[in-house]
Amino acid sequence: VSNEIPVLIKSTTSGKRCYTVEEVREFLGIGRIAVYELLKRNEFHWVKIGGRYLISKASFDAWLDGNS
């Protein structure tokens, strides 16, 4: 596992910048497949690095608040 991914996930000034699929699953109380369906529908901005999907915190939070 590369040490670069944690650097990409965390901002030095404002905490996390991305959520993992598992974190989104826990926030919403849904299964992993449902999270992947949201990603497939591009409900919020995400990137795939290696085998990991990273969801933009700002985009997800805006979507959750109905501001997407």
Side-chain angles (χ1 to χ4, degrees), residues 2-68:
S2 172
N3 288 335
E4 292 179 34
I5 291 176
V7 173
L8 293 172
I9 295 173
K10 295 190 180 193
S11 166
T12 57
T13 59
S14 62
K16 289 185 86 146
R17 296 206 42 218
C18 295
Y19 294 129
T20 64
V21 168
E22 183 63 21
E23 287 172 321
V24 169
R25 186 194 71 74
E26 289 176 14
F27 294 152
L28 300 177
I30 60 177
R32 290 177 58 86
I33 292 172
V35 175
Y36 290 119
E37 285 296 321
L38 291 171
L39 297 179
K40 185 176 174 181
R41 293 194 325 238
N42 290 312
E43 293 290 339
F44 28 77
H45 181 72
W46 56 272
V47 295
K48 185 175 180 184
I49 300 176
R52 293 182 67 184
Y53 290 87
L54 301 174
I55 296 110
S56 161
K57 181 182 182 306
S59 176
F60 175 80
D61 291 346
W63 173 83
L64 189 60
D65 291 338
N67 300 322
S68 59

